[in-house]
Amino acid sequence: SLSNKMGNSLLAVRGINHKYIVVGEKSLTDVKKTVLKNNIHFTRYAFCRKGGLFDQMPVKKGDNLVPLKKDMPTDIYGGYNKAAASFFALVKYTEGKKKDIMVMPVELLYSDRFVSDASFAEEYAAKTVSNIKGKNVTHVELLLNRRIIKVNTMFSFDGLRMCVTGKSGGGNKLLMTLMTPFITDFETEKYIKHLESFSNKLAKNNNIIPDEAYDHISSENNSKLYDLYIQKFAEHPYDKRPNNPVEILRDGRENFEGLPIEVQAKVLLGIQGLFGRSNSADLTFISVKGSKQSGVVTVSSTLSNWKKKYSDVRIIDSSASGLFEKKSENLLELL
């Protein structure tokens, strides 16, 4: 075996001195321990978005648009929609008698000035938060020493790791991607690969009929994997997942059993993607509660809404390898 060969090589190199045998055995133990690990570190490159400033086609008159030209009011002349966010900033503000904090998008059009001009940054934050909330806000303060929160910055929500990838709803919501990898035993991993292989063949020829002996997939094993997904989404840390699909899966358990194997395979791979590979899945096959975009991961941009569901939220800065990390204070304590 590989282990024996490695052990013999160490002994051959280091001789039969007991001291070297002990060292060799310890090294071999460390190697085995590392190889058998099924937890992984993976990171995403954090960056400030560049490129297009907004949708290229102008829209009709309205509020909160980018002017076509300077001194051309958008409520009269219209303007550009969906301004791109270059990065985000943590802003504390007062709305009436209530204080709150927002992860505010900073539009690419104003990003350079926001970074270089502190007074402009505060003015911009007050205007932007007011537009997003639909109400005037006061006492605006940029937190974390005016830190820039880049696209793909990782957050930990009670242990569930996600990174911010964009804005939604005009800034009321943040688009997130899961960064907590799906971990299971080797046999289950192998079975999922069989499903992927069959799915790839089916994409090339939709007349293929699954053969259990050849494709190594079956209704029985599909059901076992389906139940595993329900279990995973019901337990920590995935029970903290925004828009958790666990109730849809439970509701659709019986319907799933009645699906053809090829459709079961499609559903299972869609669910697998909800653990991080993709942001949504088509669950209309199993439940009327499902949609073609089930499980989209979004969170509110305001921290008061986070506090309703989570108790500990931190920014995690990690090295490129993911081996070294630095965690921020609990952001909810800033409220």
Side-chain angles (χ1 to χ4, degrees):
S1 70
L2 176 62
S3 299
N4 289 334
K5 289 179 181 178
M6 293 176 67
N8 292 336
S9 298
L10 285 168
L11 294 178
V13 172
R14 289 172 172 159
I16 59 173
N17 186 299
H18 176 70
K19 180 175 68 174
Y20 295 118
I21 292 176
V22 172
V23 172
E25 289 177 346
K26 182 180 183 305
S27 297
L28 185 57
T29 300
D30 292 340
V31 170
K32 288 181 178 178
K33 183 178 178 182
T34 301
V35 170
L36 291 175
K37 281 185 176 180
N38 68 347
N39 61 314
I40 61 173
H41 296 278
F42 78 104
T43 60
R44 290 178 182 269
Y45 174 67
F47 63 96
C48 293
R49 185 172 280 117
K50 304 295 182 183
L53 301 176
F54 34 68
D55 276 1
Q56 297 305 304
M57 295 301 294
V59 297
K60 295 180 179 179
K61 61 183 180 179
D63 296 326
N64 301 328
L65 301 175
V66 178
L68 297 172
K69 291 183 178 179
K70 187 177 180 181
D71 299 326
M72 291 182 66
T74 60
D75 59 345
I76 298 176
Y77 299 101
Y80 295 105
N81 196 16
K82 298 181 181 179
S86 178
F87 53 82
F88 300 84
L90 203 63
V91 181
K92 190 171 187 177
Y93 60 92
T94 300
E95 180 185 337
K97 296 182 179 180
K98 176 187 174 184
K99 292 184 178 181
D100 210 335
I101 297 174
M102 175 182 287
V103 180
M104 179 195 72
V106 178
E107 296 171 2
L108 177 56
L109 187 62
Y110 306 103
S111 58
D112 288 342
R113 191 175 175 191
F114 185 93
V115 173
S116 61
D117 188 336
S119 60
F120 170 79
E122 289 190 5
E123 292 174 7
Y124 176 86
K127 180 180 178 181
T128 301
V129 174
S130 295
N131 287 339
I132 293 173
K133 300 296 293 183
K135 299 178 181 178
N136 288 329
V137 300
T138 57
H139 301 93
V140 173
E141 177 187 0
L142 293 168
L143 303 179
L144 303 181
N145 197 26
R146 297 181 61 232
R147 168 186 173 148
I148 289 174
I149 300 175
K150 297 180 179 180
V151 176
N152 283 342
T153 293
M154 185 158 61
F155 290 77
S156 171
F157 290 79
D158 286 350
L160 179 70
R161 296 189 172 197
M162 300 185 286
C163 64
V164 58
T165 58
K167 64 175 182 174
S168 177
N172 280 299
K173 294 183 178 181
L174 303 175
L175 297 173
M176 308 293 285
T177 297
L178 262 64
M179 295 289 288
T180 303
F182 177 86
I183 297 173
T184 187
D185 59 87
F186 176 73
E187 289 302 318
T188 303
E189 286 183 10
K190 189 163 66 172
Y191 188 75
I192 294 171
K193 289 180 180 178
H194 290 320
L195 289 174
E196 290 175 336
S197 296
F198 174 73
S199 180
N200 290 335
K201 289 194 302 181
L202 194 63
K204 296 176 182 178
N205 182 0
N206 58 12
N207 293 319
I208 290 178
I209 299 174
D211 184 324
E212 182 175 348
Y214 183 77
D215 296 307
H216 308 290
I217 62 175
S218 66
S219 293
E220 180 182 359
N221 287 327
N222 285 349
S223 295
K224 289 180 180 178
L225 181 58
Y226 188 93
D227 289 337
L228 175 63
Y229 288 150
I230 292 177
Q231 177 187 337
K232 287 281 190 179
F233 279 122
E235 297 177 348
H236 187 76
Y238 293 110
D239 61 335
K240 299 294 183 178
R241 184 193 192 279
N243 205 5
N244 192 322
V246 66
E247 291 304 322
I248 298 176
L249 300 186
R250 286 171 176 161
D251 180 72
R253 179 69 175 76
E254 185 176 344
N255 290 339
F256 178 82
E257 291 279 358
L259 295 173
I261 291 180
E262 58 270 25
V263 181
Q264 287 182 343
K266 180 179 180 179
V267 171
L268 288 172
L269 292 177
I271 298 170
Q272 177 65 43
L274 296 180
F275 289 95
R277 181 181 298 181
S278 61
N279 260 352
S280 65
D282 184 356
L283 299 184
T284 56
F285 294 99
I286 61 172
S287 174
V288 294
K289 297 179 181 178
S291 71
K292 291 185 178 294
Q293 297 292 320
S294 294
V296 175
V297 185
T298 61
V299 297
S300 171
S301 58
T302 51
L303 273 62
S304 61
N305 287 324
W306 295 3
K307 201 167 187 177
K308 296 174 183 177
K309 185 175 180 180
Y310 305 103
S311 61
D312 189 282
V313 180
R314 300 173 189 268
I315 294 175
I316 300 179
D317 296 307
S318 61
S319 62
S321 66
L323 296 176
F324 304 100
E325 295 181 344
K326 182 179 179 182
K327 297 182 180 180
S328 73
E329 59 191 301
N330 182 2
L331 301 183
L332 301 183
E333 293 179 355
L334 298 174
L335 284 168

